[in-house]
Amino acid sequence: LREARRRQTSAYLWEFGSRLKAALNDAAAKTGCPVSCDGVDVHPHLKFRPPTPEMGPLMTTLYIQEMAKRGCHGYAAFYLNGAQGDAELQQTATAATEVFSLIAEAVETNSLSQHLECAPQEEVFRRLVR
């Protein structure tokens, strides 16, 4: 805890998250992808706005799949840490721009499922109660 205080990690995470949200919202605006990066700055998340409810899990799954191919492993929610810096922010923003462009095109052509290489993401509790 002393080290986290010394490095001002809390303040850094708030600032980094704010920049991440801005970069991802800029990528969404540039590509026309129906998504926004919302939430508190220390724990931002993507909010996809699918044209139909069925497309939501497909959009999220495609995002996770394609970001992983670009070296950004994770979900549509971001868990920040003090080791992330400008290089990681740039990598994420560049990858997200490419992926948001792909998603926007797939939504437009109704071809989301054709791009998936895995089963669509399921709601956590829904898969537990089958």
Side-chain angles (χ1 to χ4, degrees), residues 11 18-20 28 30 37 41-42 51 60 62 64-65 74 96 99-100 104-106 118 125 128 130:
S18 175
R19 290 191 301 138
L20 177 64
K30 283 182 191 174
C37 190
D41 290 346
V42 292
T60 302
L62 186 56
I64 294 166
Q65 170 188 295
V99 173
F100 289 168
E105 181 182 325
C118 59
F125 294 110
L128 294 175
R130 280 198 232 182

Side-chain angles (χ1 to χ4, degrees), residues 21-100:
K21 285 171 52 176
L24 294 177
N25 284 323
D26 184 51
K30 283 182 191 174
T31 62
C33 186
V35 64
S36 61
C37 190
D38 301 322
V40 295
D41 290 346
V42 292
H43 186 47
H45 63 273
L46 295 178
K47 183 175 182 181
F48 287 99
R49 293 181 311 281
T52 66
E54 307 80 47
M55 287 186 174
L58 302 176
M59 292 170 74
T60 302
T61 304
L62 186 56
Y63 168 81
I64 294 166
Q65 170 188 295
E66 293 299 317
M67 289 295 282
K69 288 180 180 180
R70 291 160 176 82
C72 300
H73 301 274
Y75 294 99
F78 300 91
Y79 297 92
L80 308 179
N81 68 70
Q84 294 167 317
D86 290 338
E88 289 78 16
L89 180 64
Q90 185 59 50
Q91 178 185 8
T92 301
T94 299
T97 301
E98 294 171 7
V99 173
F100 289 168

